[in-house]
Amino acid sequence: MKPVRLDRLLGGMGYGSRQEIAKLARVGGITLDGRDLTDAAQKIAPTPDLPGRMTIDGHPVDPPPGLVILLNKPLGMTCSHKEDGALVYDVLPSRWRRRDPAISTVGRLDKQTSGLLLLTDDGDLLHRIISPRRHVAKVYRAGLARPLEGHEAALFASGELVLEGEDKPLAPAVLERIGPTEARLTVHEGRYHQVRRMFAAAGNHVETLHRERMGGLTVPDDLAPGDWRLLTPDESARVFEEPPV
């Protein structure tokens, strides 16, 4: 990775203005490989191993640009930077709101949908994941107001279902019946409120909705609602894998 000035690197990671970073460096608040960095103009390569090599006030530095976050989104949180109420960004370190490039959600889950949500500051990765050409599978578990009638799987798999207000049919989707009023649905698109609107088109209403999987990624069993973890590049790449059948 191309080296960048220390003050520019840390400023873009939300640690303060360039002047604030320079002041911190002068008083010995920044170390790299155990040595003080006193010159804020020194160029540093923003490699993924930087948190293990650099400290700020004795704490490991945050990951450089290119981070990917897996969040177990709880109910009641909005995937927005601007709306009122609880936001998914509230669970992240506050300085991360000042990062440049900014951290954004990879697609959205509405306020009443829980489960796997990815966030990243890697714009290229974000667009590759949400691109219709990639066909990244998203698996949802839906609790329904009324029992399934038996026609839903064929309707969703037909490739002919047109949602209200649209004119382009949905790509085929796979429905797995879990119980009389519970189903697992695998889709490869990301249209607005798609799963809720699909069941509405089938004459039902979604009461609960939880995203279990994106590609080969699932929420770890030890990750409670509202908790998050950083993914390694190898883990992030699993989003492009097909879920097991």
Side-chain angles (χ1 to χ4, degrees):
M1 295 184 179
K2 185 178 179 181
V4 297
R5 285 175 54 117
L6 177 65
D7 52 4
R8 180 179 178 186
L9 174 64
L10 296 183
M13 291 163 62
Y15 280 100
S17 67
R18 290 193 180 187
Q19 292 78 13
E20 291 169 333
I21 300 301
K23 181 178 179 180
L24 184 62
R26 287 196 300 271
V27 299
I30 306 172
T31 69
L32 178 66
D33 297 330
R35 298 182 179 181
D36 290 343
L37 291 178
T38 57
D39 182 3
Q42 181 174 340
K43 291 190 174 182
I44 304 295
T47 54
D49 65 347
L50 202 58
R53 302 173 54 215
M54 181 182 287
T55 65
I56 297 181
D57 285 337
H59 301 285
V61 72
D62 293 334
L67 58 78
V68 181
I69 304 156
L70 189 155
L71 168 67
N72 187 0
K73 178 189 173 298
L75 296 174
M77 280 191 170
T78 303
C79 297
S80 170
H81 284 285
K82 300 178 180 178
E83 294 187 30
D84 295 332
L87 309 179
V88 294
Y89 302 98
D90 294 340
V91 303
L92 303 176
S94 58
R95 63 178 170 272
W96 286 16
R97 290 199 178 200
R98 301 188 295 272
R99 287 178 69 108
D100 182 17
I103 296 174
S104 300
T105 61
V106 181
R108 292 191 173 193
L109 295 179
D110 65 50
K111 193 172 184 178
Q112 298 308 317
T113 300
S114 60
L116 194 158
L117 180 68
L118 296 180
L119 302 94
T120 185
D121 60 359
D122 186 336
D124 289 340
L125 176 64
L126 187 154
H127 289 297
R128 278 190 284 130
I129 295 173
I130 67 175
S131 170
R133 294 189 296 273
R134 286 284 181 167
H135 306 293
V136 171
K138 293 169 280 289
V139 182
Y140 296 84
R141 188 170 183 136
L144 306 170
R146 292 177 291 281
L148 293 161
E149 296 180 355
H151 68 288
E152 297 87 356
L155 175 64
F156 295 163
S158 68
E160 299 176 356
L161 176 61
V162 179
L163 297 176
E164 183 177 355
E166 299 189 11
D167 54 16
K168 181 181 178 182
L170 292 172
V174 178
L175 178 77
E176 175 193 351
R177 185 181 185 275
I178 299 174
T181 60
E182 193 168 19
R184 182 174 287 112
L185 184 63
T186 302
V187 301
H188 291 83
E189 298 174 285
R191 303 198 200 182
Y192 180 72
H193 287 175
Q194 180 174 341
V195 174
R196 297 182 187 277
R197 294 166 70 201
M198 288 174 69
F199 279 105
N204 213 325
H205 174 73
V206 173
E207 292 190 327
T208 63
L209 191 60
H210 179 82
R211 182 152 72 189
E212 297 183 330
R213 177 182 290 271
M214 287 182 69
L217 292 175
T218 59
V219 177
D221 292 338
D222 60 351
L223 199 66
D227 288 348
W228 56 273
R229 55 165 291 195
L230 291 170
L231 299 184
T232 66
D234 286 344
E235 289 172 327
S236 301
R238 293 181 59 197
V239 74
F240 298 110
E241 298 176 359
E242 276 295 313
V245 178

